[in-house]
């Protein structure tokens, strides 16, 4: 584990206000999800999950086919599909287009994919202003922070935090009522929408048979982002494609419920190409950027490529007892929580943060709530194996490796195992049968020290089970 | 003569909580089973597997398969160790068809203690009595991998003098997670404290679970916080009279 990861976890745990804010906000989302997926409310919930998993499996197994179909259909509507290998490809495309069209201002709706490629920073670096229009994202842009949560990006901010931020950054009088804060943001953003040359959005689904992009949202800013400016660019990971529009019958039921506990989101937009003759609104140019950025690396691995089924609902974050304690910013990349823990090592390489797949008690709450049934705990276990293989190649972590070789040897030699156990019992403090708070300094090392840093330990019994069994 | 069952007490019960194993044997014998304890047994290999040392886990798993090959039914006082055998061994041997066949045969024979009683022995009332208010902690692997939720509650409901008060939420992880508990000690401790808040909220005197590892974590945190709530394995409750 890197020092930085360790420090961020520690800092978050030590911040009582943050702990409360995150635990409460995720708890609310978690409870709402449970209510709207209960058997009495959605009897076919488990069946829908099975279907969603089957559709995603089919798509990922035939990704090339569906991407080609999607591309053909987008182009038949007059749109254009742009394949991008990585972050530079995406920013180069946007910068080049902006330059050719003389664009200066960009409005953006919420998109984790653009976060993944640091699009705002890259554009700003070349003098292009790119403004987030989702309220949560706008707050974070003002605060110069990354999303804390893939669905609720400013989940860690209280309204008082936002009030302070708006006063400082926008020079407005301090308001703490959420509705008033929203009105302030809306006032600023309306101006931007009217002036913007380009709108950049994400995408929830790319529908192959109709060449359309589906986006769900609650604020209405996606509608403005994708229709007010002359140019619309949708940025999406290649795994977002689904075969048919009718598959949405499955996904739309699951997505809003899993994400926010709503039965359905406020707006569902379908965008299929630029404005056609006779239409009153819509952009003049329509592009879909399809991003790889490491995704194709997952395809050869039959079980781990399940990670690409994700519809970014965030349910696994809200259910995760680790995320609820360490929050979103402790994670080493833009994707946090259980989904972040499985895709970060796969997109960025396991050595990006070798501790990440181990930061889990493997409780399985994530897999239980995942609407597309990704077996997250199992993938974590596989990634742990991958970390060890990479360490072995680089000659790292030799002592632990040795310890586990000894473990395996002892556990296959019952006599030695018994002797070792009794030896430990003979030197361990007995605590007079009570739980032990501390051990003498020379013994207080490694795992024992770590255990005792938080909890008492049991006194070792005078006889092991096997001794008791023999003597009974 | 009753049917035979073998105990796999797990390394943790063997070394740290032998009373749990004795209680389990007691309950099974009372129900008429002939209980044996294959002496070659050690561990299921989960610590190595969860730490990413798959080759080492495989070595220990093979030892387990050999030790229990001749047993007809194996009862385990741990949801987590049961799940290691019934849900994870197969992933260790995907490239060894012969061992995989042994694994699949083993999966059918290995039973977590509570579900062995309700589903195999077909009993809910084991004739236990314990005058106490208890709360039940769902171990994550028992709950989510083995799908065990009602069996322990049905067994507890038949214990005379016992009142069960559910904690909210009962299914949230205690933060143990094997080596996670020491690799991420501070985080694991924070999770345990959330758990004990839920426990204390019920006013129960005793926390019952199917997993000695969860109980060690919970008792360790309770004891550190100076709280006088005790922990008991379900087998110990059912052995009380
Ligand atoms: S992994 Fe599953 S639960 Fe987590 S965000 Fe993706 S779809 Fe949602």
């Amino acid at each position: 584990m890197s020092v930085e990861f360790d420090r961020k976890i520690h800092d978050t745990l030590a911040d009582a206000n943050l702990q409360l804010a995150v635990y409460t906000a995720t708890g609310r989302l978690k409870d709402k999800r449970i209510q709207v997926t209960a058997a009495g409310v959605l009897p076919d919930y488990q069946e829908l999950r099975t279907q969603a998993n089957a559709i995603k499996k089919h798509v990922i197994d035939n990704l090339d086919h569906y991407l080609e179909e999607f591309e053909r259909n987008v182009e038949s509507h007059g749109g254009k599909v742009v394949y991008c290998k990585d972050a530079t490809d995406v920013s180069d495309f946007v910068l080049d287009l902006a330059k050719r069209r003389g664009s200066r201002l960009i409005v953006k709706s919420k998109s984790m994919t653009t976060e993944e490629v640091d699009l705002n920073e890259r554009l700003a670096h070349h003098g292009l202003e790119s403004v987030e229009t989702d309220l949560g994202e706008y707050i974070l842009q003002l605060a110069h922070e990354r999303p804390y949560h893939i669905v609720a990006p400013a989940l860690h901010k209280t309204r008082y935090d936002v009030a302070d931020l708006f006063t400082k950054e926008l020079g407005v009088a301090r308001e703490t009522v959420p509705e008033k804060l929203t009105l302030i943001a809306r006032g600023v953003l309306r101006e931007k929408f009217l002036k913007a040359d380009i709108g950049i959005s994400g995408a929830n689904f790319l529908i192959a048979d109709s060449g359309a992009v589906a986006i769900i949202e609650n604020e209405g800013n996606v509608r403005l982002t994708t229709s007010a400016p002359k140019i619309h660019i949708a940025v999406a990971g290649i795994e977002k494609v689904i075969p048919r529009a009718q598959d949405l019958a499955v996904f739309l039921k699951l997505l809003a419920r899993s994400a926010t506990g709503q039965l359905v989101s406020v707006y569902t937009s379908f965008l299929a190409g630029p404005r056609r003759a006779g239409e009153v609104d819509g952009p003049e140019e329509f592009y879909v950027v399809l991003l790889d950025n490491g995704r194709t690396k997952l395809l050869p691995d039959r079980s781990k490529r399940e990670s690409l089924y994700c519809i970014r609902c965030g349910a696994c974050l809200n259910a995760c007892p680790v995320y609820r304690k360490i929050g979103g910013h402790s994670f080493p990349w833009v994707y946090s929580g259980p989904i972040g823990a499985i895709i970060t090592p796969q997109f960025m390489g396991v050595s990006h943060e070798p501790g990440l797949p181990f930061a889990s008690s493997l409780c399985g709450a994530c897999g239980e709530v995942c609407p597309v049934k990704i077996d997250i705990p199992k993938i974590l276990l596989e990634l742990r194996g991958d970390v060890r293989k990479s360490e072995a190649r680089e000659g790292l972590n030799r002592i632990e490796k040795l310890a586990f070789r000894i473990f395996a040897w002892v556990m296959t030699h019952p006599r030695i195992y018994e002797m070792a156990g009794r030896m430990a019992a003979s030197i361990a403090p007995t605590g007079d049968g009570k739980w032990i708070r501390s051990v003498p300094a020379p013994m207080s090392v490694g795992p024992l020290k770590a255990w005792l840093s938080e909890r008492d330990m049991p006194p070792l019994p005078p006889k092991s089970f096997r001794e008791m069994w023999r003597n009974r | 003569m009753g049917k035979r069952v073998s105990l796999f007490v797990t390394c943790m019960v063997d070394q740290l909580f032998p009373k749990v194993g004795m209680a389990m044997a007691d309950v099974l014998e009372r129900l008429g089973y002939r209980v044996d304890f294959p002496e070659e047994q050690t561990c299921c290999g989960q610590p190595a597997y969860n730490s990413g040392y798959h080759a080492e886990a495989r070595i220990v798993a093979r030892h387990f398969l050999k030790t229990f090959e001749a047993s007809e039914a194996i009862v385990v006082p741990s949801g987590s160790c049961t799940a290691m055998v019934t849900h994870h061994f197969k992933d260790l041997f995907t490239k060894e068809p012969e061992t995989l066949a042994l694994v699949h045969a083993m999966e059918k024979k290995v039973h977590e203690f509570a579900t062995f009683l309700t589903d195999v022995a077909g009993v809910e009332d084991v004739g236990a009595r314990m005058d106490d208010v208890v709360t039940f902690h769902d171990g994550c692997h028992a709950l989510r991998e083995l799908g065990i939720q009602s069996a322990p509650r049905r067994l507890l409901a038949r214990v005379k003098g016992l009142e069960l008060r559910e904690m909210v939420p009962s299914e949230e992880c205690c933060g143990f997670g094997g080596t996670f508990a020491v690799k991420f000690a501070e985080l694991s401790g924070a999770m345990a404290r959330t758990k004990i808040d839920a426990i204390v909220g019920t006013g129960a005197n005793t926390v019952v679970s199917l997993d000695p590892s969860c109980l060690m974590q919970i008792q360790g945190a309770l004891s550190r916080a100076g709280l006088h709530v005790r922990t008991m394995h379900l087998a110990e409750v059912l052995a009380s009279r």
Side-chain angles (χ1 to χ4, degrees):
Chain A
M1 182 185 2
S2 73
V3 179
E4 201 191 350
F5 189 36
D6 199 32
R7 183 185 51 77
K8 284 183 181 163
I9 292 172
H10 170 80
D11 290 349
T12 311
L13 290 172
D15 184 336
N17 290 336
L18 186 57
Q19 284 289 305
L20 186 67
V22 174
Y23 204 77
T24 316
T26 48
R28 210 177 293 129
L29 288 167
K30 175 177 138 143
D31 292 344
K32 281 206 270 176
R33 189 203 68 85
I34 293 171
Q35 283 161 20
V36 296
T37 54
V41 185
L42 186 65
D44 55 350
Y45 172 54
Q46 294 304 340
E47 175 57 26
L48 286 167
R49 289 178 75 212
T50 307
Q51 285 179 18
N53 175 277
I55 297 168
K56 281 288 182 178
K57 178 174 186 326
H58 174 75
V59 173
I60 300 300
D61 289 353
N62 301 279
L63 195 55
D64 48 347
H65 169 81
Y66 286 111
L67 286 174
E68 279 167 23
E69 184 183 348
F70 175 73
E71 181 179 1
R72 270 199 313 279
N73 287 326
V74 168
E75 297 194 340
S76 75
H77 302 315
K80 198 165 168 5
V81 169
V82 184
Y83 284 93
C84 289
K85 175 170 91 282
D86 56 19
T88 319
D89 270 9
V90 180
S91 56
D92 283 356
F93 165 72
V94 177
L95 286 167
D96 179 59
L97 186 70
K99 197 166 160 199
R100 281 189 282 129
R101 302 289 184 270
S103 316
R104 304 266 284 284
L105 178 64
I106 296 173
V107 281
K108 261 195 80 246
S109 59
K110 184 174 159 10
S111 149
M112 284 305 296
T113 314
T114 58
E115 291 290 338
E116 178 188 328
V117 294
D118 301 317
L119 189 59
N120 285 345
E121 293 75 7
R122 286 167 183 270
L123 298 180
H125 190 72
H126 290 87
L128 270 182
E129 186 187 357
S130 164
V131 183
E132 293 291 344
T133 62
D134 171 272
L135 182 58
E137 291 285 355
Y138 178 62
I139 291 167
L140 293 189
Q141 192 172 31
L142 288 180
H144 304 287
E145 286 181 31
R146 284 198 177 280
Y148 206 78
H149 184 286
I150 61 178
V151 170
L155 168 129
H156 60 309
K157 295 249 184 264
T158 64
R159 57 188 157 125
Y160 305 103
D161 296 335
V162 178
D164 292 342
L165 185 72
F166 279 10
T167 313
K168 179 165 162 261
E169 297 294 327
L170 303 175
V172 293
R174 192 168 189 274
E175 283 290 354
T176 54
V177 181
E179 287 74 17
K180 295 217 166 126
L181 288 166
T182 309
L183 280 178
I184 295 172
R186 183 205 275 247
V188 177
L189 294 174
R190 278 288 145 135
E191 285 294 302
K192 302 285 182 188
F193 279 126
L194 293 173
K195 287 190 200 138
D197 311 293
I198 299 178
I200 298 182
S201 73
N204 290 101
F205 302 97
L206 309 171
I207 308 162
D209 73 354
S210 35
V213 172
I215 310 180
I216 70 167
E217 56 151 341
N218 286 324
E219 296 176 12
N221 65 310
V222 172
R223 301 216 145 174
L224 282 168
T225 303
T226 57
S227 59
K230 282 192 174 136
I231 302 171
H232 171 212
I233 305 171
V235 183
I238 49 172
E239 81 283 12
K240 286 277 158 70
V241 67
I242 57 170
R244 304 162 305 172
Q246 72 190 74
D247 298 323
L248 287 170
V250 173
F251 290 112
L252 291 183
K253 264 193 198 155
L254 289 170
L255 181 49
R257 285 175 205 253
S258 304
T260 51
Q262 292 167 286
L263 299 182
V264 65
S265 302
V266 178
Y267 301 99
T268 303
S269 303
F270 296 94
L271 307 156
R275 183 195 304 195
R276 264 152 272 187
E279 286 180 348
V280 293
D281 60 5
E284 287 164 20
E285 295 177 56
F286 176 80
Y287 301 91
V288 183
V289 168
L290 293 180
L291 178 68
D292 178 354
N293 209 31
R295 287 164 173 78
T296 47
K297 277 194 291 192
L298 277 63
L299 293 175
D301 189 316
R302 285 196 163 275
S303 81
K304 284 197 295 246
R305 73 181 176 212
E306 251 185 42
S307 318
L308 296 175
Y309 300 180
C310 177
I311 56 173
R312 303 281 187 267
C313 73
C316 57
L317 282 67
N318 306 326
C320 177
V322 168
Y323 176 87
R324 298 182 71 195
K325 292 285 176 205
I326 70 173
H329 286 168
S330 296
F331 285 81
W333 198 35
V334 287
Y335 296 105
S336 54
I339 182 63
I342 61 169
I343 61 178
T344 304
Q346 299 188 77
F347 286 21
M348 311 289 279
V350 287
S351 38
H352 181 69
E353 175 46 73
L356 187 55
F358 297 90
S360 162
S361 62
L362 298 174
C363 79
C366 47
E368 187 179 52
V369 300
C370 177
V372 291
K373 284 192 166 180
I374 301 175
D375 193 344
I376 300 173
K378 186 170 169 198
I379 296 174
L380 283 172
L381 282 164
E382 289 182 31
L383 289 167
R384 289 178 181 194
D386 292 352
V387 171
R388 298 307 177 212
K389 278 185 214 140
S390 118
E391 284 172 348
R393 277 195 301 272
E394 288 163 37
L396 298 168
N397 213 2
R398 289 218 186 105
I399 295 180
E400 193 182 273
K401 168 88 183 158
L402 180 67
F404 275 98
R405 284 174 74 172
I406 296 171
F407 164 84
W409 184 75
V410 170
M411 291 305 181
T412 45
H413 294 81
R415 254 40 81 197
I416 310 273
Y417 157 83
E418 183 170 359
M419 242 169 61
R422 288 307 89 194
M423 260 167 64
S426 70
I427 55 167
T430 61
D432 296 324
K434 290 206 189 65
W435 283 57
I436 296 155
R437 186 148 300 184
S438 62
V439 293
M443 284 170 79
S444 184
V445 288
L448 189 55
K449 181 179 174 194
W451 180 272
L452 288 169
S453 67
E454 295 287 329
R455 297 137 290 210
D456 293 351
M457 65 174 263
L460 296 196
K463 286 195 169 65
S464 67
F465 176 82
R466 63 190 65 220
E467 285 174 281
M468 289 174 80
W469 185 259
R470 277 183 214 130
N471 300 339
R472 76 181 198 142
Chain B
M1 282 306 264
K3 283 199 184 152
R4 269 188 51 202
V5 291
S6 301
L7 304 180
F8 171 54
V9 298
T10 78
C11 55
M12 184 173 271
V13 164
D14 185 27
Q15 295 297 322
L16 297 175
F17 306 107
K19 282 197 291 192
V20 171
M22 295 305 279
M24 180 167 80
D26 223 45
V27 173
L28 291 168
E29 283 178 345
R30 223 192 283 159
L31 293 173
Y33 285 94
R34 278 189 297 140
V35 178
D36 61 49
F37 175 77
E39 281 249 355
E40 297 293 299
Q41 67 179 268
T42 55
C43 171
C44 62
Q46 187 171 192
Y49 183 54
N50 284 2
S51 301
Y53 296 99
H54 297 182
E56 286 72 14
R58 217 168 277 130
I59 294 171
V60 182
R62 264 196 212 97
H63 179 80
F64 180 97
L65 292 171
K66 202 167 86 210
T67 304
F68 288 98
E69 197 170 6
S71 299
E72 291 159 30
I74 300 131
V75 188
V76 190
S78 158
S80 191
C81 305
T82 304
M84 177 66 194
V85 180
T86 59
H87 286 63
H88 296 289
F89 270 18
K90 65 174 184 341
D91 295 328
L92 286 171
F93 297 106
T94 45
K95 292 191 191 110
E96 293 177 37
E98 278 163 35
T99 320
L100 201 56
L102 295 177
V103 168
H104 288 317
M106 187 61 74
E107 286 167 0
K108 297 191 191 75
K109 301 197 294 186
V110 174
H111 305 275
E112 181 284 322
F113 171 68
T115 38
F116 179 82
L117 295 182
T118 56
D119 300 0
V120 182
V123 286
E124 288 182 2
D125 188 347
V126 298
R129 159 163 217 115
M130 192 170 96
D131 294 301
D132 200 1
V133 179
V134 310
T135 186
F136 184 77
H137 163 67
D138 285 292
C140 295
H141 295 166
L143 179 68
R144 300 200 182 85
E145 294 188 326
L146 304 178
I148 300 174
Q149 198 164 20
S150 80
R153 290 176 169 85
R154 280 183 281 145
L155 289 159
L156 287 171
R158 297 302 189 90
V159 175
K160 288 176 197 64
L162 182 144
E163 182 194 335
L164 174 67
R165 287 194 202 150
E166 295 286 355
M167 63 177 108
V168 188
S170 65
E171 76 290 348
E172 191 158 306
C173 182
C174 66
F176 176 70
T179 48
F180 171 79
V182 290
K183 281 198 171 121
F184 293 85
E186 194 183 354
L187 169 57
S188 165
M191 289 161 73
R193 283 187 290 279
T194 298
K195 187 85 222 179
I196 63 176
D197 285 346
I199 292 167
V200 170
T202 64
N205 304 309
T206 307
V207 192
V208 181
S209 182
L210 304 176
D211 276 90
S213 52
C214 303
L215 292 173
M216 179 167 78
Q217 165 89 346
I218 292 170
Q219 184 74 72
L222 284 165
S223 168
R224 179 60 58 94
L227 292 163
H228 296 285
V229 178
R230 62 173 179 169
T231 55
M232 275 175 102
H233 190 278
L234 180 75
E236 296 175 285
V237 176
L238 298 185
S240 311
R241 41 193 3 187

